[in-house]
Amino acid sequence: MAESESSGGVFDEQRFLRIVELMKEHDLSEVELRDSEQRISIKRGGTPAAPLTAPSVAAPASAPAAGSSQPAAAAEDPNVVVVKSPMVGTFYSKPNPKAASFVKVGDHVDPETTICIIEAMKVFNEIPAEISGKVVAVLATDEEAVEFGKPLFKIDTSG
Amino acid sequence: MAESESSGGVFDEQRFLRIVELMKEHDLSEVELRDSEQRISIKRGGTPAAPLTAPSVAAPASAPAAGSSQPAAAAEDPNVVVVKSPMVGTFYSKPNPKAASFVKVGDHVDPETTICIIEAMKVFNEIPAEISGKVVAVLATDEEAVEFGKPLFKIDTSG
Amino acid sequence: MYNRILIANRGEIALRIIRACREMGIETVAVFSEADRGSAYLDLADEAICVGPAKSAQSYLKIDQIISAAEVGNVEAIHPGYGFLAENAHFNEVCRSCKIDFIGPTPEAMDLLGDKNRAREIARKAKVPVVPGSGGLITDEAEALKVAHEIGFPVLIKATAGGGGKGMRVAANDLVLQTAIQQAQTEAQAAFGNAGVYLEKYIERPRHVEVQVIADLHGNAVHLWERECSTQRRHQKLIEESPAPNLPQETREAICSAAVRLIESVNYTNAGTVEFIVDQENNFYFIEVNARIQVEHPVTEMVTGIDLIRAQISVAAGEPLPFDQSAVVQHGSAIECRINAENPDRNFQPSPGPITQIFTPGGLGVRFESHVHPGYVVPPHYDSMIGKLIVHQPTRREAIACMLRALDELRVEGIHTTASFHKKVLQHSEFVEGWVDTSFVERVFLTK
Amino acid sequence: MYNRILIANRGEIALRIIRACREMGIETVAVFSEADRGSAYLDLADEAICVGPAKSAQSYLKIDQIISAAEVGNVEAIHPGYGFLAENAHFNEVCRSCKIDFIGPTPEAMDLLGDKNRAREIARKAKVPVVPGSGGLITDEAEALKVAHEIGFPVLIKATAGGGGKGMRVAANDLVLQTAIQQAQTEAQAAFGNAGVYLEKYIERPRHVEVQVIADLHGNAVHLWERECSTQRRHQKLIEESPAPNLPQETREAICSAAVRLIESVNYTNAGTVEFIVDQENNFYFIEVNARIQVEHPVTEMVTGIDLIRAQISVAAGEPLPFDQSAVVQHGSAIECRINAENPDRNFQPSPGPITQIFTPGGLGVRFESHVHPGYVVPPHYDSMIGKLIVHQPTRREAIACMLRALDELRVEGIHTTASFHKKVLQHSEFVEGWVDTSFVERVFLTK
């Protein structure tokens, strides 16, 4: 068995490369070979025609963010929620230049905890966390212009 | 096992290539062969989204007919060859209105047998069969305007 | 001149303004809702700022968000386009208080003309004809007859509290008027709890003719001639053209002068449209002023050769109009068809969704104004217009032929559009001969 | 007027002619090679006939197949477009013998002007300036000096059997001329086995200026003013415009009158272009006549408002020109960029293949003439031009700004195009100031 694995088993690089070569040569997009317990399945070229119909310069307006308060990085960790800006304006992490930040990484926040200020039309809007958890990242910098939906904080709701 | 693997196993390159060849010849995009534990699955050409980028109204100028004298209906029967018009003009099946047709279905033709006339610029061009075989279909009608590459006859070269 | 402006709009008009700015060397800040995120036209702006979710009320109509974007984007002026905040005098006022130029008329002029009755008053003072009427409630038959004889039959009886045709009656002579007055009063009482009615001259088969005007901050006001927009469905314009066909030259000149007179009387500035109805005898009556750029402005641009968006921006920035009245000449004939994502075979039901493929028409005299592209998804949140097809030819006959071939070239796959309906309209004898009135589309195509 | 014509061409010019015919109510028969089968523009013709395989020699250039298609298609006339058979006097003759109108000049006029030397003779007789020269071979130094003094230094010594620059020498004074004559003779002898040389005035940094003309069958000939086409790479025009910048009005008028004089002297009919070179002192010299419509005809259409393809078809059908000289006025400024499927970063190497996606520019003053569409495959068999981007604006400065924004909007994916190169050219001070000569592109962009 050990013998066959090196000279024809599914992990045999020579055979693998040979199949890939044949795929290129004959313009094969997908190959699957199976023999009882052995199985080799290779796809080539991938991402069918998506780039054709939806080039980067023209990403369709199809899939708008599902809602500004949804976690944006769910794939990372389902407990980590991204708090997004509810408005256009200028971000401030502290009530005044000499004060400490409202929150910093590691802090625990409650839904009503003010986490930052967004200045819009000369009005300083205190933004509450709206959820409970531990701040794991601050994603905006002081005096940064933020648009609607801009990620501001990551908060771990399991914390 | 060793025996079967070299002379017909799923990893047999000869067999693999034969399948690919057949796929090309018959323009197959996907093949799956399964026999109890053996399975061979091959896809070719891919670009599943072709219909999106190349809608019927805008069939790309990509794949011109491979050549006017190639069999057009190979999938039907590899022995049946379609004779196409080598020029633009008017099709006549007989030398004059009162005469019999040059050929009719069931007739045997040789390469030099005149099978029709194409009139172009007042010149009556006698068109030879250019292959041997039995006429199995006449695809143009008398006085029909035909373009370059228009199928005129089907000839069974095995007959 | 401005260095940087914000465009408080979306879609084709946002792209139209971006194009003008790029040509003028002005930077642009586009705003967008989440439904428009990723639209290709946003890439052509120097900056694009998301101002809210898909719903207009929370994005394109949200004044504080737009102003905030203007501040963050550091712009000197805002172009409102049409629709959304374009005729919102309050927004206009807020811009002023924030020291951001609003590219349009002043809040005062907008306010003054925004009320239809006040606008009619202004028109009367400027000696611009309005539809003659009783001017007040009619209480009895005798008064009704007197007024009717003054303004001339036929007359329209309208409920003062009315709407939707309820309590409306047309009377063509004394006899009919006498009975109709009572019926209308009874009907109005039943429908609105208010029996008050008034009389107005009934205009049979009216045409919608409007005049493009523009004025600078230095007292120069000019018109850019008229547009004919009678091809409408449910008061929505479908096809617009310039010049208006079959309009005597003296009428054309009289309407255009009246429009200038009216806007001069209120010191109106920037671009605007003065709308009239014209009856079958070419009498014209002022209806209202649209204090903004309009969807159909391109037909005027084609025949005059003047870029109206550039002109708007220039005059807002304080520059004098670069042309005087004598330099504004109509050359040839221009027609515009609004291409909507609607299914004309299903009562013009909206047809949002992905445009899998689009082939745009081209060639001499063809202009396609559209922000859509292959892969674009028409959002269901906004109006259904996906583009405007405009043609310009030496004659109206040639313009119709050119539009028909351009409509044939336009292919949109994935959604339904009104292109096929336009072809039917353009080939109808009434349109071809240039005698369309505002009832044309409903009368000819939509009654079964 | 014709009911049905055949278009003996492909690609953008075939589409251009189809569009004109549709607008005129004329049916069209398109021909195509197997490489163009399935191109979308063929769907816009009333009939499309395959005339052969991809190779032009066996399809678009095959006279018997084209004529046969015309007979089968039952047309009254053939429009040859440009290239292929457009200046083939024999084809023109065959059309006549088959009683099919050739939409272009007569075979006789074509023949007469097809030979450059004969054309120069005709020009001389019509008092149209040609580049001054010895008129015959120079045998010794003394004669060379005499001729050089007559025509003025600098002079160009050219081998009579020459080509490709071999045996060519520029001489700016007597001394250089004396040595150069001998060197040139020796070099010519070695290269061509023929020591014969002649002298011609050397034009430094010449500009290419050409005049659009058209004449009907009733003796009316007019010009449609000039085009400047000095932005060339390897004698291939890249950018064309009208009017020519920095050309004094009297020179403009003199060149245009000369062009009309020349074509009138040979009873030329239909559209044509008279090409000149203009030196830095605005002296102009006749070069040749292109007896056909040209790629760059749209810039003339934009500034004059005249549809040249329609005019060609009308005069071929025997109609009088619908305008006289005084009605042909230049309005504004138009520029055309040829968009080629070439990679400007790799020495303009052709880039055929599938266009996976294309976004076409639009808006006021922008015209895109192209037969390509998403999914179109640029065949490797023909020239690399995939479209022409044309803009029209009130001034040249605005036209350049408009072209730049339109080039930014144009996005072609899947293949390389020359769009990026055009942007560099349009922003170069020499172009912006309008002082481009025919060496500009090579001198500024291609020498490393």
Side-chain angles (χ1 to χ4, degrees):
Chain A
M1 248 329 250
E3 185 71 17
S4 79
E5 227 178 286
S6 65
S7 70
V10 294
F11 304 109
D12 180 345
E13 189 177 329
Q14 287 310 312
R15 186 157 83 180
F16 181 91
L17 282 176
R18 181 67 194 137
I19 296 170
V20 170
E21 245 170 64
L22 287 171
M23 288 178 79
K24 282 191 204 165
E25 193 181 326
H26 299 284
D27 189 23
L28 307 182
S29 57
E30 202 166 323
V31 166
E32 184 171 338
L33 304 174
R34 215 188 272 213
D35 189 358
S36 72
E37 309 210 320
Q38 293 198 345
R39 181 180 168 204
I40 295 178
S41 163
I42 304 176
K43 291 186 190 178
R44 236 189 110 252
T47 53
L52 287 179
T53 50
S56 61
V57 295
S62 53
S68 62
S69 58
Q70 291 306 303
E76 261 182 18
D77 179 343
N79 293 316
V80 172
V81 169
V82 174
V83 177
K84 295 178 174 182
S85 178
M87 63 181 73
V88 181
T90 305
F91 175 90
Y92 293 100
S93 64
K94 32 196 159 183
N96 66 65
K98 283 168 188 160
S101 293
F102 289 108
V103 293
K104 55 185 189 304
V105 170
D107 284 0
H108 183 271
V109 294
D110 288 322
E112 58 284 350
T113 309
T114 295
I115 51 175
C116 65
I117 278 173
I118 307 277
E119 181 200 350
M121 295 183 72
K122 316 262 184 296
V123 176
F124 291 82
N125 303 280
E126 299 193 342
I127 308 297
E130 286 188 349
I131 45 166
S132 297
K134 200 174 73 180
V135 176
V136 292
V138 182
L139 304 169
T141 56
D142 260 310
E143 296 187 47
E144 179 181 344
V146 295
E147 65 179 356
F148 177 84
K150 160 85 168 90
L152 301 178
F153 296 90
K154 281 189 188 174
I155 291 176
D156 185 343
T157 54
S158 68
Chain B
M1 244 330 249
E3 184 72 18
S4 78
E5 224 179 290
S6 65
S7 71
V10 296
F11 305 109
D12 179 344
E13 188 176 329
Q14 286 310 311
R15 186 159 83 180
F16 182 91
L17 280 176
R18 179 66 193 139
I19 297 169
V20 170
E21 245 168 63
L22 287 171
M23 289 177 78
K24 282 192 205 169
E25 191 180 328
H26 301 284
D27 194 28
L28 308 181
S29 57
E30 201 167 326
V31 164
E32 184 171 338
L33 304 173
R34 217 186 268 216
D35 187 0
S36 72
E37 310 211 317
Q38 293 198 346
R39 181 179 169 206
I40 295 178
S41 161
I42 304 177
K43 291 185 191 179
R44 230 188 121 256
T47 57
L52 284 179
T53 50
S56 61
V57 295
S62 53
S68 62
S69 59
Q70 291 306 302
E76 261 182 18
D77 179 343
N79 292 315
V80 172
V81 168
V82 174
V83 177
K84 296 178 174 182
S85 178
M87 62 181 74
V88 182
T90 306
F91 175 89
Y92 293 100
S93 66
K94 35 194 157 185
N96 67 65
K98 282 169 189 159
S101 295
F102 289 109
V103 293
K104 56 185 190 300
V105 172
D107 283 2
H108 183 272
V109 295
D110 289 322
E112 58 283 352
T113 309
T114 295
I115 51 175
C116 65
I117 279 174
I118 308 278
E119 182 200 350
M121 295 183 70
K122 316 264 183 298
V123 176
F124 292 83
N125 303 280
E126 298 193 343
I127 309 299
E130 285 187 348
I131 46 166
S132 296
K134 201 174 71 178
V135 176
V136 291
V138 182
L139 304 169
T141 56
D142 260 311
E143 295 187 46
E144 179 180 344
V146 294
E147 64 179 356
F148 177 84
K150 160 84 168 91
L152 301 178
F153 295 91
K154 282 190 187 172
I155 292 176
D156 186 344
T157 54
S158 68
Chain C
M1 186 46 62
Y2 304 122
N3 292 308
R4 196 171 165 94
I5 73 170
L6 179 136
I7 298 157
N9 216 301
R10 64 175 296 280
E12 74 86 19
I13 191 65
L15 174 57
R16 171 73 188 88
I17 299 163
I18 291 171
R19 284 172 168 160
C21 289
R22 288 182 79 104
E23 291 174 12
M24 296 174 84
I26 298 172
E27 292 181 5
T28 50
V29 176
V31 298
F32 63 96
S33 76
E34 285 183 328
D36 283 325
R37 187 185 293 280
S39 284
Y41 72 89
L42 297 172
D43 294 340
L44 297 170
D46 294 280
E47 189 178 346
I49 297 176
C50 182
V51 289
K55 269 189 97 170
S56 321
Q58 290 167 47
S59 49
Y60 295 113
L61 286 169
K62 206 157 162 59
I63 293 178
D64 58 354
Q65 289 299 286
I66 301 290
I67 296 287
S68 191
E71 289 179 344
V72 160
N74 197 25
V75 303
E76 298 152 78
I78 294 180
H79 196 305
Y82 53 72
F84 295 129
L85 298 170
E87 286 185 284
N88 186 317
H90 170 59
F91 174 64
N92 194 338
E93 195 86 75
V94 173
C95 288
R96 182 194 279 171
S97 70
C98 294
K99 306 217 182 321
I100 297 167
D101 282 1
F102 177 88
I103 299 174
T106 61
E108 291 74 22
M110 199 174 258
D111 220 25
L112 216 55
L113 297 167
D115 181 300
K116 276 200 190 193
N117 279 329
R118 221 181 315 166
R120 271 167 69 96
E121 232 10 270
I122 291 166
R124 268 197 210 94
K125 278 186 201 151
K127 308 224 182 301
V128 172
V130 296
V131 178
S134 56
L137 294 189
I138 295 288
T139 46
D140 58 37
E141 272 181 32
E143 192 187 350
L145 288 171
K146 182 165 162 282
V147 171
H149 287 205
E150 267 168 35
I151 64 179
F153 282 107
V155 296
L156 185 67
I157 308 161
K158 274 174 148 177
T160 188
K166 280 270 167 61
M168 261 165 65
R169 284 280 184 291
V170 178
N173 56 46
D174 286 9
L175 212 67
V176 175
L177 181 61
Q178 282 162 326
T179 43
I181 275 282
Q182 264 205 323
Q183 288 175 347
Q185 283 173 330
T186 310
E187 200 172 308
Q189 178 67 42
F192 315 111
N194 178 343
V197 296
Y198 64 98
L199 286 191
E200 203 176 83
K201 185 160 179 67
Y202 175 67
I203 310 293
E204 285 177 286
R205 300 181 62 155
R207 295 169 60 180
H208 176 113
V209 175
E210 60 188 30
V211 178
Q212 177 70 53
V213 292
I214 191 164
D216 63 21
L217 306 178
H218 310 283
N220 305 304
V222 301
H223 66 78
L224 287 88
W225 302 99
E226 84 290 1
R227 292 186 288 259
E228 154 83 60
C229 314
S230 300
T231 306
Q232 305 182 348
R233 177 183 157 270
R234 294 194 181 165
H235 305 288
Q236 291 296 308
K237 296 165 190 165
L238 298 177
I239 300 178
E240 302 98 348
E241 60 183 296
S242 183
N246 297 316
L247 194 69
Q249 186 59 22
E250 69 262 27
T251 310
R252 184 189 324 278
E253 282 168 12
I255 294 183
C256 293
S257 308
V260 172
R261 211 153 62 229
L262 188 137
I263 64 151
E264 278 181 332
S265 77
V266 289
N267 297 316
Y268 188 91
T269 51
N270 217 290
T273 297
V274 186
E275 296 194 335
F276 296 89
I277 55 175
V278 176
D279 70 15
Q280 298 290 311
E281 281 79 46
N282 294 317
N283 299 304
F284 60 90
Y285 307 102
F286 167 76
I287 298 297
E288 64 173 319
V289 173
N290 288 315
R292 53 171 166 83
I293 197 71
Q294 279 187 300
V295 174
E296 59 268 29
H297 75 275
V299 294
T300 298
E301 294 182 321
M302 301 307 267
V303 294
T304 62
I306 291 167
D307 186 323
L308 278 165
I309 304 294
R310 275 196 224 165
Q312 278 196 297
I313 296 170
S314 294
V315 301
E319 300 202 355
L321 273 179
F323 46 83
D324 63 9
Q325 190 64 68
S326 66
V328 186
V329 182
Q330 285 177 309
H331 288 288
S333 169
I335 303 178
E336 171 180 284
C337 288
R338 299 191 187 190
I339 309 298
N340 293 344
E342 296 170 358
N343 186 347
D345 298 328
R346 289 209 173 177
N347 199 28
F348 294 85
Q349 181 185 300
S351 178
I355 293 177
T356 51
Q357 197 51 275
I358 180 166
F359 296 171
T360 54
L364 180 57
V366 173
R367 171 178 174 190
F368 190 50
E369 288 281 345
S370 175
H371 61 294
V372 311
H373 51 78
Y376 179 84
V377 179
V378 180
H381 312 283
Y382 313 113
D383 81 80
S384 63
M385 196 175 74
I386 57 164
K388 307 183 298 201
L389 184 53
I390 305 117
V391 300
H392 184 214
Q393 290 290 332
T395 64
R396 185 168 187 273
R397 189 182 53 76
E398 288 165 306
I400 292 173
C402 183
M403 181 62 89
L404 283 168
R405 77 101 178 138
L407 285 166
D408 276 343
E409 286 180 26
L410 174 67
R411 294 177 192 221
V412 183
E413 291 167 18
I415 60 166
H416 293 277
T417 80
T418 47
S420 58
F421 183 74
H422 283 297
K423 283 194 246 182
K424 285 199 280 183
V425 172
L426 288 164
Q427 292 174 300
H428 190 277
S429 61
E430 211 167 307
F431 186 90
V432 170
E433 286 155 25
W435 292 114
V436 166
D437 64 82
T438 55
S439 70
F440 166 65
V441 169
E442 265 118 12
R443 183 163 37 81
V444 173
F445 295 101
L446 305 179
T447 49
K448 279 282 129 57
Chain D
M1 186 46 62
Y2 304 122
N3 292 308
R4 197 171 166 93
I5 74 170
L6 179 137
I7 298 157
N9 217 302
R10 64 175 296 281
E12 73 87 17
I13 191 64
L15 175 57
R16 170 74 187 88
I17 300 164
I18 291 171
R19 283 170 169 161
C21 289
R22 289 182 77 105
E23 291 174 13
M24 296 174 86
I26 297 172
E27 292 181 4
T28 50
V29 177
V31 298
F32 62 97
S33 76
E34 283 181 329
D36 284 326
R37 185 186 294 280
S39 284
Y41 71 90
L42 297 172
D43 294 342
L44 297 170
D46 293 281
E47 190 178 347
I49 297 176
C50 182
V51 289
K55 270 190 94 169
S56 318
Q58 290 166 48
S59 49
Y60 295 113
L61 286 169
K62 209 158 160 55
I63 294 179
D64 59 352
Q65 290 299 286
I66 302 289
I67 296 287
S68 191
E71 290 179 344
V72 160
N74 197 24
V75 303
E76 298 153 77
I78 294 180
H79 196 305
Y82 53 72
F84 294 129
L85 298 171
E87 286 186 284
N88 185 318
H90 170 59
F91 174 64
N92 193 338
E93 195 85 75
V94 173
C95 288
R96 181 194 278 171
S97 71
C98 293
K99 306 217 181 325
I100 297 167
D101 282 1
F102 177 88
I103 299 173
T106 59
E108 290 76 22
M110 198 173 256
D111 221 23
L112 215 55
L113 297 167
D115 179 300
K116 276 200 187 191
N117 279 328
R118 220 180 317 166
R120 270 169 70 96
E121 229 13 85
I122 291 166
R124 270 199 209 96
K125 277 187 202 149
K127 307 226 181 301
V128 172
V130 296
V131 178
S134 55
L137 292 188
I138 296 288
T139 47
D140 56 37
E141 271 179 36
E143 193 186 348
L145 288 170
K146 182 166 163 279
V147 171
H149 287 206
E150 266 168 35
I151 63 180
F153 282 106
V155 295
L156 186 67
I157 307 161
K158 275 175 151 176
T160 187
K166 279 270 167 61
M168 261 163 67
R169 284 280 184 293
V170 178
N173 56 48
D174 286 10
L175 211 67
V176 174
L177 181 61
Q178 282 164 326
T179 43
I181 276 281
Q182 265 205 324
Q183 288 175 345
Q185 283 173 332
T186 310
E187 199 172 310
Q189 178 66 43
F192 316 110
N194 180 345
V197 296
Y198 65 97
L199 287 190
E200 202 175 82
K201 187 164 177 66
Y202 175 67
I203 311 293
E204 286 176 285
R205 298 181 63 154
R207 294 169 61 180
H208 175 114
V209 175
E210 61 187 29
V211 179
Q212 176 70 54
V213 292
I214 191 164
D216 64 20
L217 305 179
H218 311 284
N220 306 304
V222 300
H223 67 78
L224 286 88
W225 301 99
E226 85 290 2
R227 291 185 289 259
E228 154 82 58
C229 314
S230 299
T231 306
Q232 306 181 349
R233 179 184 157 267
R234 296 195 181 165
H235 305 288
Q236 292 295 308
K237 295 166 190 166
L238 297 177
I239 300 179
E240 302 100 347
E241 59 183 296
S242 183
N246 297 318
L247 194 69
Q249 186 60 20
E250 69 263 28
T251 310
R252 183 189 323 279
E253 281 169 13
I255 294 184
C256 293
S257 307
V260 172
R261 213 155 59 229
L262 187 136
I263 64 151
E264 278 180 332
S265 77
V266 290
N267 296 316
Y268 188 91
T269 50
N270 217 289
T273 298
V274 186
E275 296 195 335
F276 296 89
I277 55 175
V278 176
D279 70 15
Q280 297 291 312
E281 281 77 47
N282 294 317
N283 299 304
F284 60 89
Y285 307 101
F286 166 76
I287 299 297
E288 63 173 320
V289 173
N290 287 316
R292 51 169 167 86
I293 197 72
Q294 280 187 298
V295 173
E296 60 268 28
H297 75 275
V299 294
T300 298
E301 294 183 322
M302 300 309 267
V303 294
T304 62
I306 290 167
D307 186 323
L308 278 164
I309 304 294
R310 274 196 224 164
Q312 279 196 297
I313 296 170
S314 294
V315 301
E319 300 201 355
L321 273 179
F323 47 82
D324 62 10
Q325 190 64 67
S326 65
V328 185
V329 183
Q330 285 178 309
H331 288 287
S333 170
I335 302 179
E336 170 181 285
C337 288
R338 299 191 187 190
I339 309 299
N340 293 344
E342 296 171 356
N343 186 347
D345 298 328
R346 290 209 172 178
N347 199 27
F348 295 84
Q349 178 185 302
S351 179
I355 293 177
T356 51
Q357 198 52 278
I358 180 167
F359 296 171
T360 55
L364 181 56
V366 174
R367 171 178 173 190
F368 190 49
E369 288 282 345
S370 174
H371 61 295
V372 312
H373 50 78
Y376 179 84
V377 179
V378 180
H381 312 284
Y382 313 112
D383 80 82
S384 63
M385 196 176 74
I386 58 163
K388 306 182 301 201
L389 184 52
I390 306 118
V391 300
H392 183 214
Q393 290 289 332
T395 65
R396 186 168 186 272
R397 189 182 54 76
E398 289 166 304
I400 293 173
C402 183
M403 181 62 89
L404 283 168
R405 77 100 178 137
L407 285 166
D408 276 343
E409 285 179 27
L410 174 66
R411 294 177 192 222
V412 183
E413 291 166 17
I415 60 165
H416 293 277
T417 80
T418 47
S420 59
F421 184 75
H422 284 297
K423 283 193 247 182
K424 284 199 281 183
V425 172
L426 288 165
Q427 293 176 83
H428 190 277
S429 62
E430 211 166 308
F431 187 89
V432 170
E433 286 157 23
W435 292 113
V436 166
D437 65 84
T438 55
S439 70
F440 166 65
V441 169
E442 265 117 15
R443 182 163 39 82
V444 173
F445 295 100
L446 305 180
T447 49
K448 279 278 132 58

